[in-house]
Structure formats: C-alpha cells, structure tokens
Amino acid sequence: MAPEINIPEVVAEVTAAFERYERALTANDVAVLDELFWNNPATLRYGVGENLYGYDAIADFRQGRPAAGLERTLRNTVVTTYGHDMATANTEFTRPSTERVGRQSHTWVRMPEGWRIVAAHVSLMG
C-alpha cells in the first residue's frame, strides 16, 4: 500500500523544520544546522564543491565554512510528505552576489528526536 501523500499536519511540520534550517543557514547558526542533520554515518551531503559522507564530515564542513555572503532568496520550494515519517524538500535559490540559480534538495525523516535531514544536495545551474 502506498503511503498517503501530503498529510496537511505533516507538511506543516516539515515546512517548519525546513524554514528553521533556512533561517539557521543564512544566519550561520552552526548549532542548529548540526542539530537538523541526522547524527549518523549514513547521512550525506553533496555540495557545490564537495561530497560529504557521514554526520561528522558534514559538521566539520560547517565549522570551516565562511560566515559571510549567505543571504539568498528561495523560489519554487516544494515540500512533499510520504506518510507520517518521510519527506522531501526541494527549492531553487538566488544570491545577490551571482546570477546563477542554485538548487537544494533534502530528504527528511522523522526520528525519535524530531525531523532530521538524512540526505542533502546543493548544485548551481549554468
């Protein structure tokens, strides 16, 4: 049996988690960013210039990332939930410093401690 798609209260939960992530990202709130990624070796993040395997590699990357120029504008954000415990969040973004369009994809899973990102991908077009 297929999971129910886009249960309204689950969409609201994941949207709130996604928005919290976005606020933390643009404010360089590393503690919240670290909290929202699942603390597990199976977690991964493919970035514009790096492939990070495991929570520790992602957390190390965050510690060394520049804290300036993180502002961005989101567009075409789509949150889709699959049952009560899994979701994807995809968005496009632009930054004032470039005309290139970025894309970000997250897979979120409800863990005992709350919604966590288990896989992420960031890329730039053109």
Side-chain angles (χ1 to χ4, degrees):
M1 183 166 137
E4 187 175 347
I5 305 300
N6 290 338
I7 300 167
E9 60 269 21
V10 180
V11 172
E13 291 173 12
V14 176
T15 299
F18 174 82
E19 290 172 350
R20 184 172 179 233
Y21 174 89
E22 184 63 22
R23 286 190 305 274
L25 182 71
T26 58
N28 201 40
D29 188 339
V30 175
V32 171
L33 294 170
D34 287 347
E35 173 194 333
L36 291 175
F37 274 83
W38 185 38
N39 189 346
N40 190 281
T43 302
L44 65 88
R45 179 185 178 276
Y46 293 152
V48 173
E50 66 286 330
N51 294 333
L52 305 171
Y53 299 97
Y55 175 87
D56 291 341
I58 297 166
D60 289 347
F61 169 79
R62 294 268 182 233
Q63 290 298 323
R65 183 172 188 232
L70 300 176
E71 305 82 25
R72 63 188 197 167
T73 301
L74 302 185
R75 66 183 193 199
N76 298 322
T77 302
V78 178
V79 173
T80 305
T81 63
Y82 306 86
H84 291 273
D85 299 318
M86 184 180 171
T88 57
N90 296 282
T91 195
E92 297 173 10
F93 63 88
T94 57
R95 294 191 188 278
S97 60
T98 181
E99 293 184 22
R100 295 178 79 186
V101 175
R103 298 174 291 188
Q104 174 183 289
S105 299
H106 288 165
T107 301
W108 292 79
V109 176
R110 184 193 306 272
M111 300 295 182
E113 61 272 21
W115 286 99
R116 296 296 181 264
I117 300 164
V118 298
H121 181 255
V122 181
S123 61
L124 294 173
M125 295 179 64

mmCIF file of all heavy atoms in Angstrom, residues 77-97:
data_model
loop_
_atom_site.group_PDB
_atom_site.id
_atom_site.type_symbol
_atom_site.label_atom_id
_atom_site.label_comp_id
_atom_site.label_asym_id
_atom_site.label_seq_id
_atom_site.Cartn_x
_atom_site.Cartn_y
_atom_site.Cartn_z
ATOM 1 N N THR A 77 9.800 26.451 -3.957
ATOM 2 C CA THR A 77 10.006 25.481 -2.881
ATOM 3 C C THR A 77 8.846 24.498 -2.858
ATOM 4 O O THR A 77 7.678 24.904 -2.882
ATOM 5 C CB THR A 77 10.120 26.194 -1.521
ATOM 6 O OG1 THR A 77 11.215 27.125 -1.599
ATOM 7 C CG2 THR A 77 10.343 25.212 -0.390
ATOM 8 N N VAL A 78 9.174 23.216 -2.818
ATOM 9 C CA VAL A 78 8.161 22.159 -2.790
ATOM 10 C C VAL A 78 8.498 21.191 -1.662
ATOM 11 O O VAL A 78 9.581 20.594 -1.652
ATOM 12 C CB VAL A 78 8.111 21.388 -4.132
ATOM 13 C CG1 VAL A 78 7.089 20.257 -4.068
ATOM 14 C CG2 VAL A 78 7.807 22.326 -5.289
ATOM 15 N N VAL A 79 7.577 21.064 -0.720
ATOM 16 C CA VAL A 79 7.687 20.071 0.349
ATOM 17 C C VAL A 79 6.659 18.987 0.055
ATOM 18 O O VAL A 79 5.477 19.288 -0.131
ATOM 19 C CB VAL A 79 7.428 20.703 1.731
ATOM 20 C CG1 VAL A 79 7.374 19.633 2.817
ATOM 21 C CG2 VAL A 79 8.493 21.748 2.054
ATOM 22 N N THR A 80 7.120 17.747 -0.012
ATOM 23 C CA THR A 80 6.232 16.615 -0.251
ATOM 24 C C THR A 80 6.453 15.608 0.864
ATOM 25 O O THR A 80 7.599 15.246 1.155
ATOM 26 C CB THR A 80 6.523 15.950 -1.614
ATOM 27 O OG1 THR A 80 6.450 16.948 -2.642
ATOM 28 C CG2 THR A 80 5.530 14.842 -1.908
ATOM 29 N N THR A 81 5.372 15.168 1.487
ATOM 30 C CA THR A 81 5.490 14.171 2.542
ATOM 31 C C THR A 81 4.938 12.834 2.057
ATOM 32 O O THR A 81 4.023 12.781 1.235
ATOM 33 C CB THR A 81 4.761 14.621 3.818
ATOM 34 O OG1 THR A 81 3.364 14.741 3.556
ATOM 35 C CG2 THR A 81 5.312 15.954 4.320
ATOM 36 N N TYR A 82 5.517 11.787 2.602
ATOM 37 C CA TYR A 82 5.165 10.408 2.245
ATOM 38 C C TYR A 82 4.820 9.688 3.538
ATOM 39 O O TYR A 82 5.720 9.294 4.286
ATOM 40 C CB TYR A 82 6.334 9.727 1.531
ATOM 41 C CG TYR A 82 6.820 10.525 0.339
ATOM 42 C CD1 TYR A 82 7.760 11.545 0.492
ATOM 43 C CD2 TYR A 82 6.296 10.293 -0.930
ATOM 44 C CE1 TYR A 82 8.176 12.296 -0.591
ATOM 45 C CE2 TYR A 82 6.720 11.050 -2.021
ATOM 46 C CZ TYR A 82 7.655 12.046 -1.834
ATOM 47 O OH TYR A 82 8.072 12.804 -2.907
ATOM 48 N N GLY A 83 3.538 9.579 3.826
ATOM 49 C CA GLY A 83 3.129 9.042 5.116
ATOM 50 C C GLY A 83 3.423 10.067 6.207
ATOM 51 O O GLY A 83 3.430 11.274 5.980
ATOM 52 N N HIS A 84 3.685 9.550 7.411
ATOM 53 C CA HIS A 84 3.901 10.412 8.570
ATOM 54 C C HIS A 84 5.363 10.649 8.891
ATOM 55 O O HIS A 84 5.667 11.488 9.739
ATOM 56 C CB HIS A 84 3.215 9.808 9.804
ATOM 57 C CG HIS A 84 1.726 9.850 9.726
ATOM 58 N ND1 HIS A 84 0.983 10.927 10.134
ATOM 59 C CD2 HIS A 84 0.830 8.941 9.249
ATOM 60 C CE1 HIS A 84 -0.302 10.690 9.933
ATOM 61 N NE2 HIS A 84 -0.419 9.487 9.395
ATOM 62 N N ASP A 85 6.283 9.922 8.232
ATOM 63 C CA ASP A 85 7.663 9.907 8.729
ATOM 64 C C ASP A 85 8.744 10.187 7.693
ATOM 65 O O ASP A 85 9.927 10.074 8.014
ATOM 66 C CB ASP A 85 7.945 8.554 9.396
ATOM 67 C CG ASP A 85 7.025 8.297 10.572
ATOM 68 O OD1 ASP A 85 6.781 9.237 11.349
ATOM 69 O OD2 ASP A 85 6.530 7.154 10.700
ATOM 70 N N MET A 86 8.387 10.545 6.468
ATOM 71 C CA MET A 86 9.384 10.819 5.437
ATOM 72 C C MET A 86 8.904 11.958 4.556
ATOM 73 O O MET A 86 7.714 12.087 4.284
ATOM 74 C CB MET A 86 9.646 9.585 4.584
ATOM 75 C CG MET A 86 10.727 9.794 3.565
ATOM 76 S SD MET A 86 11.015 8.315 2.586
ATOM 77 C CE MET A 86 12.104 8.996 1.367
ATOM 78 N N ALA A 87 9.885 12.770 4.112
ATOM 79 C CA ALA A 87 9.521 13.912 3.269
ATOM 80 C C ALA A 87 10.717 14.332 2.431
ATOM 81 O O ALA A 87 11.867 14.025 2.755
ATOM 82 C CB ALA A 87 9.065 15.080 4.136
ATOM 83 N N THR A 88 10.416 15.068 1.376
ATOM 84 C CA THR A 88 11.450 15.752 0.609
ATOM 85 C C THR A 88 11.125 17.239 0.613
ATOM 86 O O THR A 88 9.959 17.639 0.665
ATOM 87 C CB THR A 88 11.546 15.233 -0.841
ATOM 88 O OG1 THR A 88 10.270 15.388 -1.474
ATOM 89 C CG2 THR A 88 11.974 13.775 -0.885
ATOM 90 N N ALA A 89 12.187 18.039 0.569
ATOM 91 C CA ALA A 89 12.035 19.496 0.441
ATOM 92 C C ALA A 89 13.014 19.935 -0.641
ATOM 93 O O ALA A 89 14.220 19.709 -0.525
ATOM 94 C CB ALA A 89 12.330 20.191 1.763
ATOM 95 N N ASN A 90 12.497 20.519 -1.677
ATOM 96 C CA ASN A 90 13.307 20.963 -2.807
ATOM 97 C C ASN A 90 13.038 22.435 -3.059
ATOM 98 O O ASN A 90 11.899 22.884 -2.964
ATOM 99 C CB ASN A 90 12.955 20.151 -4.056
ATOM 100 C CG ASN A 90 13.293 18.686 -3.878
ATOM 101 O OD1 ASN A 90 14.444 18.314 -3.991
ATOM 102 N ND2 ASN A 90 12.295 17.876 -3.582
ATOM 103 N N THR A 91 14.100 23.159 -3.393
ATOM 104 C CA THR A 91 13.938 24.586 -3.649
ATOM 105 C C THR A 91 14.998 25.062 -4.626
ATOM 106 O O THR A 91 16.040 24.409 -4.799
ATOM 107 C CB THR A 91 14.015 25.394 -2.327
ATOM 108 O OG1 THR A 91 13.523 26.710 -2.549
ATOM 109 C CG2 THR A 91 15.422 25.447 -1.766
ATOM 110 N N GLU A 92 14.710 26.171 -5.244
ATOM 111 C CA GLU A 92 15.701 26.902 -6.023
ATOM 112 C C GLU A 92 16.055 28.138 -5.208
ATOM 113 O O GLU A 92 15.250 28.607 -4.396
ATOM 114 C CB GLU A 92 15.125 27.335 -7.368
ATOM 115 C CG GLU A 92 14.734 26.182 -8.268
ATOM 116 C CD GLU A 92 14.020 26.653 -9.521
ATOM 117 O OE1 GLU A 92 13.980 27.881 -9.795
ATOM 118 O OE2 GLU A 92 13.476 25.804 -10.231
ATOM 119 N N PHE A 93 17.256 28.673 -5.424
ATOM 120 C CA PHE A 93 17.640 29.890 -4.715
ATOM 121 C C PHE A 93 18.525 30.756 -5.584
ATOM 122 O O PHE A 93 19.181 30.280 -6.511
ATOM 123 C CB PHE A 93 18.337 29.565 -3.381
ATOM 124 C CG PHE A 93 19.630 28.806 -3.509
ATOM 125 C CD1 PHE A 93 20.840 29.472 -3.674
ATOM 126 C CD2 PHE A 93 19.645 27.424 -3.440
ATOM 127 C CE1 PHE A 93 22.037 28.776 -3.781
ATOM 128 C CE2 PHE A 93 20.831 26.717 -3.548
ATOM 129 C CZ PHE A 93 22.028 27.391 -3.714
ATOM 130 N N THR A 94 18.497 32.045 -5.272
ATOM 131 C CA THR A 94 19.404 33.007 -5.894
ATOM 132 C C THR A 94 20.097 33.782 -4.784
ATOM 133 O O THR A 94 19.571 33.908 -3.672
ATOM 134 C CB THR A 94 18.655 33.983 -6.818
ATOM 135 O OG1 THR A 94 17.640 34.656 -6.063
ATOM 136 C CG2 THR A 94 18.020 33.246 -8.003
ATOM 137 N N ARG A 95 21.291 34.281 -5.099
ATOM 138 C CA ARG A 95 22.053 35.093 -4.156
ATOM 139 C C ARG A 95 22.347 36.433 -4.819
ATOM 140 O O ARG A 95 22.515 36.502 -6.037
ATOM 141 C CB ARG A 95 23.369 34.413 -3.790
ATOM 142 C CG ARG A 95 23.198 33.119 -3.023
ATOM 143 C CD ARG A 95 24.542 32.643 -2.472
ATOM 144 N NE ARG A 95 24.481 31.326 -1.900
ATOM 145 C CZ ARG A 95 24.072 31.029 -0.673
ATOM 146 N NH1 ARG A 95 23.671 31.994 0.120
ATOM 147 N NH2 ARG A 95 24.053 29.794 -0.241
ATOM 148 N N PRO A 96 22.434 37.496 -4.024
ATOM 149 C CA PRO A 96 22.727 38.814 -4.599
ATOM 150 C C PRO A 96 24.070 38.862 -5.323
ATOM 151 O O PRO A 96 24.245 39.648 -6.246
ATOM 152 C CB PRO A 96 22.743 39.739 -3.377
ATOM 153 C CG PRO A 96 22.002 39.020 -2.311
ATOM 154 C CD PRO A 96 22.178 37.561 -2.590
ATOM 155 N N SER A 97 24.994 37.994 -4.948
ATOM 156 C CA SER A 97 26.352 38.050 -5.492
ATOM 157 C C SER A 97 26.516 37.368 -6.848
ATOM 158 O O SER A 97 27.580 37.474 -7.461
ATOM 159 C CB SER A 97 27.323 37.404 -4.492
ATOM 160 O OG SER A 97 26.951 36.046 -4.279
#
